Amino acid sequence: MIPRYSRAEMTDVWSSNSKFKIWLDIELYACEAMEKLGTVPKGTSKKIRSKAKINEKRIDQIEKKVKHDVIAFLTTISEYAGPPARFLHQGLTSSDILDTAFNVQLKQSSVIIEKELLNLLKSLKKIALKHKNTPCIGRSHGIHAEPTTFGVKMASFYAEFQRNHKRFLKAIEEINICAISGAVGNYANIDPRVEQYVAKKLGMKAETISTQVIPRDRHAVYFNTLAVIASSIERLATEIRHLQRTEVLEVEEFFSKGQKGSSAMPHKRNPVLTENLTGLARLIRGYTVPALENITLWHERDISHSSVERIMAPDANIIIDFALSRMNNVISNLVVYPKNMKVSASWDTNDLTSYCNHYKYCHTFLNNNVAEYVCLGHKENNDISPLTQNTTPEIIIPRVDIPPPPTDPAPYKPRPYNNQLQYQPSPPPGKPPMERPYNPYKVNRGGKTRKRKIKKRKTKKRKRRKSIKNKKR
């Protein structure tokens, strides 16, 4: 990913140097396990660790010749470690190193992503509590619908990102898997206890039944979860973008000192951050299809997934980390205009509360916890749980007279023509309807009425037919 949309902490996880360090750790953990099993001389792993160095330039140099990244890596390590390095990689296959290291990188990324996700939840909770009594208009189909509060609006996003957090934790469990099972995954050349030891060292679980690779359905779950989180970010960004429009201006992205809105129109204050997040969400969602298609591999393995993951995995994780961080920045610095919200809603706080009570009385079968919480007006309560719990507090609502339903508009007046009904709107009040006989030979063209010369046309056709018959004779 380009530096513009990257953060240093996440890019370090996906750097080549970080990847080679993980490879070396996996190789040494496997060597330690073999030492305990007695298949490798004791002390071998310590000797290798003390001498081994990661030289990226040398690895690239060897890879150009051998055309194999793992062989190039092991060759470089053996050049520094000397004879003890011959015990590395015994019974292992390249996928054991690559797939386990890949999952370690995903796990490291997930720690950073979860941290940013929790930071965003804190910011959403804070703004929801701050504006829980700030009235604003709710919209459906983009049109003014019913009054609500800005706090309730933000609380809905809070609940959504809570669900995203739970989904993400499940996705982490899916990829927290290690596989050290050798060629075609049947443990023919390596003891299964080596896999258990390496998994324990890495804080992972061993794959239940692996082929030569870790099954890619696990990774599909992970990347699709990132796509869902990205879509939630876009939904929140789209809400802010609409509310920042000039004719609405209920909220606004923070505009720092010296910031410019346009090279041609310096008066503009555009929602550039949320627009940027909308675009990044599209990019992350684009990786869901390759992740799903990676599930299908030939037999025990192929490497059709490899080229996809080398691009997809770093980009998706780096982008979602950047997007969560930016969204947290937008929410924590969001400028809110309660006066504009009141103008849009055309209510003051007391009217809003009475309207909510009236709404609850009219819809007794609706269990609207959020609306009831707004009606309560708990100004001193700083707990957001009533906004997200299913239980409804008991409220005594006074009886409110329900207004009669509005009368329907005047129906269309039918008039017969050729055994059919033609509908016309009813005339305005005070004017009697104009009853005129309908003449099918009259056509209104540009305000003028003319008669169709049907008879003349018929005579012309007859003359033409006669002339044609005479010519044939």
Side-chain angles (χ1 to χ4, degrees):
M1 179 47 58
I2 60 174
R4 186 182 184 89
Y5 303 122
S6 307
R7 298 200 316 147
E9 188 180 6
M10 184 63 83
T11 51
D12 287 345
V13 172
W14 294 98
S15 66
S16 297
N17 188 56
S18 175
K19 178 182 71 175
F20 292 138
K21 283 180 179 177
I22 297 168
W23 287 10
L24 181 59
D25 286 339
I26 295 167
E27 291 280 6
L28 290 172
Y29 290 149
C31 188
E32 287 175 14
M34 291 177 194
E35 285 178 30
K36 292 187 176 184
L37 294 171
T39 56
V40 169
K42 289 187 177 180
T44 303
S45 58
K46 287 184 179 179
K47 290 177 183 177
I48 297 170
R49 192 179 287 278
S50 62
K51 295 181 179 179
K53 289 183 182 179
I54 293 169
N55 189 336
E56 292 182 47
K57 289 183 179 179
R58 180 59 180 155
I59 293 169
D60 293 339
Q61 230 174 24
I62 297 170
E63 188 180 357
K64 286 178 183 178
K65 183 180 179 181
V66 300
K67 306 293 191 296
H68 197 290
D69 52 356
V70 177
I71 293 173
F73 166 76
L74 291 169
T75 304
T76 306
I77 296 299
S78 64
E79 287 178 354
Y80 286 101
R86 70 183 186 273
F87 295 105
L88 285 178
H89 207 70
Q90 284 195 1
L92 277 68
T93 186
S94 299
S95 294
D96 292 333
I97 305 302
L98 294 170
D99 283 12
T100 303
F102 180 48
N103 281 5
V104 170
Q105 285 178 298
L106 290 176
K107 188 181 175 183
Q108 290 175 354
S109 299
S110 68
V111 174
I112 302 169
I113 293 168
E114 187 187 4
K115 184 174 71 175
E116 289 304 318
L117 198 53
L118 291 172
N119 288 340
L120 179 56
L121 279 168
K122 286 179 183 177
S123 298
L124 286 169
K125 180 177 179 179
K126 185 177 179 181
I127 197 169
L129 289 169
K130 184 178 179 181
H131 293 283
K132 65 182 180 182
N133 295 313
T134 303
C136 69
I137 191 68
R139 297 171 176 87
S140 60
H141 305 277
I143 308 301
H144 285 202
E146 298 288 345
T148 182
T149 72
F150 188 64
V152 171
K153 192 187 285 279
M154 291 294 104
S156 73
F157 290 105
Y158 175 84
E160 184 171 345
F161 278 97
Q162 270 191 327
R163 295 191 295 273
N164 284 329
H165 183 237
K166 290 178 182 177
R167 292 186 193 108
F168 189 60
L169 293 177
K170 290 180 181 178
I172 294 169
E173 290 179 13
E174 287 280 351
I175 53 92
N176 192 27
I177 297 295
C178 161
I180 308 290
S181 52
V184 301
N186 62 5
Y187 302 98
N189 301 308
I190 191 167
D191 196 307
R193 289 174 289 180
V194 175
E195 183 182 59
Q196 294 291 339
Y197 181 87
V198 175
K200 188 177 179 181
K201 281 284 187 180
L202 295 171
M204 306 174 87
K205 296 177 182 178
E207 182 60 68
T208 48
I209 297 176
S210 66
T211 57
Q212 192 165 318
V213 295
I214 294 174
R216 257 45 192 182
D217 60 293
R218 296 183 177 277
H219 303 84
V221 170
Y222 180 84
F223 288 105
N224 275 270
T225 304
L226 294 188
V228 173
I229 295 170
S231 297
S232 296
I233 291 171
E234 184 182 11
R235 189 174 86 88
L236 180 51
T238 304
E239 182 73 21
I240 294 168
R241 286 170 62 194
H242 165 72
L243 296 178
Q244 190 170 334
R245 289 166 60 189
T246 307
E247 62 271 26
V248 180
L249 199 60
E250 293 182 7
V251 302
E252 187 179 33
E253 290 179 12
F254 177 73
F255 206 78
S256 61
K257 187 177 180 181
Q259 185 177 340
K260 306 296 181 184
S262 170
S263 60
M265 300 163 283
H267 63 279
K268 295 191 73 181
R269 301 175 74 158
N270 302 323
V272 290
L273 299 179
T274 46
E275 287 175 339
N276 170 256
L277 289 169
T278 302
L280 293 177
R282 294 170 188 168
L283 191 58
I284 296 170
R285 281 196 300 271
Y287 288 128
T288 56
V289 173
L292 291 168
E293 290 179 346
N294 275 354
I295 295 172
T296 308
L297 301 177
W298 282 20
H299 308 299
E300 278 63 49
R301 79 163 292 210
D302 66 45
I303 60 165
S304 60
H305 63 283
S306 176
S307 55
V308 179
E309 288 171 351
R310 288 174 190 264
I311 299 167
M312 173 182 69
D315 279 10
N317 283 280
I318 289 170
I319 294 169
I320 197 70
D321 168 59
F322 178 86
L324 285 167
S325 177
R326 172 157 287 186
M327 180 52 79
N328 181 42
N329 180 49
V330 170
I331 295 299
S332 58
N333 296 298
L334 193 67
V335 181
V336 182
Y337 297 106
K339 289 184 179 179
N340 292 354
M341 290 180 180
K342 283 185 179 181
V343 169
S344 296
S346 299
W347 311 90
D348 60 27
T349 310
N350 295 327
D351 289 337
L352 177 63
T353 304
S354 63
Y355 188 87
C356 288
N357 290 339
H358 174 72
Y359 183 81
K360 177 172 170 53
Y361 175 74
C362 293
H363 302 269
T364 53
F365 297 100
L366 214 70
N367 184 16
N368 193 336
N369 302 340
V370 174
E372 291 176 3
Y373 184 72
V374 173
C375 294
L376 286 173
H378 287 276
K379 296 182 180 179
E380 297 178 358
N381 184 12
N382 290 325
D383 185 16
I384 203 170
S385 57
L387 296 176
T388 56
Q389 288 177 357
N390 292 325
T391 56
T392 307
E394 293 184 1
I395 310 171
I396 299 173
I397 304 297
R399 182 178 179 84
V400 181
D401 293 332
I402 303 174
T407 56
D408 295 330
Y412 287 97
K413 182 180 179 182
R415 71 176 183 181
Y417 166 62
N418 287 351
N419 298 324
Q420 294 181 357
L421 292 178
Q422 287 190 350
Y423 292 97
Q424 286 185 339
S426 58
K431 292 186 178 181
M434 296 178 67
E435 296 290 342
R436 292 180 181 179
Y438 184 77
N439 188 350
Y441 296 99
K442 284 188 175 183
V443 181
N444 192 352
R445 299 277 177 87
K448 296 180 179 180
T449 305
R450 67 179 181 83
K451 289 187 177 181
R452 291 178 177 174
K453 299 178 180 179
I454 296 174
K455 291 182 180 179
K456 289 184 179 180
R457 288 177 184 173
K458 286 182 179 179
T459 55
K460 284 182 181 179
K461 285 181 181 179
R462 287 172 186 170
K463 288 179 181 179
R464 191 176 179 186
R465 286 172 187 169
K466 286 181 180 180
S467 62
I468 290 169
K469 286 180 181 179
N470 293 333
K471 284 180 182 180
K472 284 182 179 180
R473 287 174 184 174

